[in-house]
Tab-separated table of all heavy atoms in Angstrom:
chain	number	residue	atom	x	y	z
A	1	MET	N	7.290	-8.095	-46.516
A	1	MET	CA	8.449	-8.016	-45.614
A	1	MET	C	8.614	-9.341	-44.868
A	1	MET	O	7.670	-9.890	-44.330
A	1	MET	CB	8.233	-6.903	-44.577
A	1	MET	CG	8.362	-5.511	-45.168
A	1	MET	SD	10.044	-5.175	-45.683
A	1	MET	CE	9.763	-3.790	-46.779
A	2	SER	N	9.835	-9.804	-44.814
A	2	SER	CA	10.066	-11.085	-44.138
A	2	SER	C	10.547	-10.825	-42.709
A	2	SER	O	11.385	-9.970	-42.481
A	2	SER	CB	11.117	-11.880	-44.892
A	2	SER	OG	12.344	-11.184	-44.853
A	3	HIS	N	9.972	-11.556	-41.801
A	3	HIS	CA	10.417	-11.455	-40.416
A	3	HIS	C	10.994	-12.791	-40.007
A	3	HIS	O	10.386	-13.828	-40.219
A	3	HIS	CB	9.262	-11.097	-39.503
A	3	HIS	CG	8.661	-9.791	-39.856
A	3	HIS	ND1	9.300	-8.609	-39.619
A	3	HIS	CD2	7.507	-9.490	-40.473
A	3	HIS	CE1	8.555	-7.634	-40.077
A	3	HIS	NE2	7.465	-8.126	-40.598
A	4	VAL	N	12.186	-12.746	-39.446
A	4	VAL	CA	12.820	-13.993	-39.036
A	4	VAL	C	12.214	-14.437	-37.716
A	4	VAL	O	12.189	-13.677	-36.749
A	4	VAL	CB	14.342	-13.792	-38.881
A	4	VAL	CG1	15.003	-15.110	-38.528
A	4	VAL	CG2	14.915	-13.234	-40.166
A	5	ASP	N	11.707	-15.665	-37.714
A	5	ASP	CA	11.155	-16.211	-36.482
A	5	ASP	C	12.258	-16.992	-35.777
A	5	ASP	O	12.720	-18.014	-36.279
A	5	ASP	CB	9.969	-17.128	-36.818
A	5	ASP	CG	9.358	-17.712	-35.564
A	5	ASP	OD1	9.808	-17.336	-34.462
A	5	ASP	OD2	8.445	-18.543	-35.690
A	6	PRO	N	12.740	-16.496	-34.641
A	6	PRO	CA	13.887	-17.148	-34.001
A	6	PRO	C	13.580	-18.563	-33.512
A	6	PRO	O	14.498	-19.364	-33.312
A	6	PRO	CB	14.217	-16.216	-32.837
A	6	PRO	CG	12.982	-15.437	-32.605
A	6	PRO	CD	12.279	-15.334	-33.914
A	7	SER	N	12.296	-18.871	-33.337
A	7	SER	CA	11.984	-20.190	-32.807
A	7	SER	C	11.748	-21.219	-33.914
A	7	SER	O	11.511	-22.391	-33.638
A	7	SER	CB	10.745	-20.103	-31.907
A	7	SER	OG	9.660	-19.616	-32.652
A	8	ALA	N	11.834	-20.792	-35.192
A	8	ALA	CA	11.587	-21.723	-36.294
A	8	ALA	C	12.716	-22.754	-36.372
A	8	ALA	O	13.862	-22.445	-36.054
A	8	ALA	CB	11.506	-20.949	-37.603
A	9	PRO	N	12.405	-23.993	-36.784
A	9	PRO	CA	13.454	-25.008	-36.893
A	9	PRO	C	14.445	-24.637	-37.992
A	9	PRO	O	14.084	-24.039	-39.007
A	9	PRO	CB	12.683	-26.288	-37.232
A	9	PRO	CG	11.382	-25.826	-37.763
A	9	PRO	CD	11.074	-24.530	-37.092
A	10	LEU	N	15.710	-24.991	-37.766
A	10	LEU	CA	16.740	-24.652	-38.743
A	10	LEU	C	16.578	-25.517	-39.981
A	10	LEU	O	16.173	-26.671	-39.906
A	10	LEU	CB	18.123	-24.868	-38.130
A	10	LEU	CG	18.474	-23.941	-36.969
A	10	LEU	CD1	19.769	-24.384	-36.330
A	10	LEU	CD2	18.598	-22.508	-37.461
A	11	GLU	N	16.931	-24.932	-41.115
A	11	GLU	CA	16.834	-25.684	-42.361
A	11	GLU	C	18.228	-25.906	-42.938
A	11	GLU	O	19.184	-25.218	-42.587
A	11	GLU	CB	15.966	-24.915	-43.367
A	11	GLU	CG	14.490	-24.988	-43.040
A	11	GLU	CD	13.694	-23.947	-43.806
A	11	GLU	OE1	14.215	-23.420	-44.799
A	11	GLU	OE2	12.560	-23.671	-43.383
A	12	GLY	N	18.374	-26.882	-43.838
A	12	GLY	CA	19.637	-27.155	-44.502
A	12	GLY	C	20.569	-27.983	-43.633
A	12	GLY	O	20.240	-28.336	-42.495
Side-chain angles (χ1 to χ4, degrees):
Chain A
M1 287 293 162
S2 64
H3 299 288
V4 183
D5 180 4
S7 59
L10 294 172
E11 285 165 17

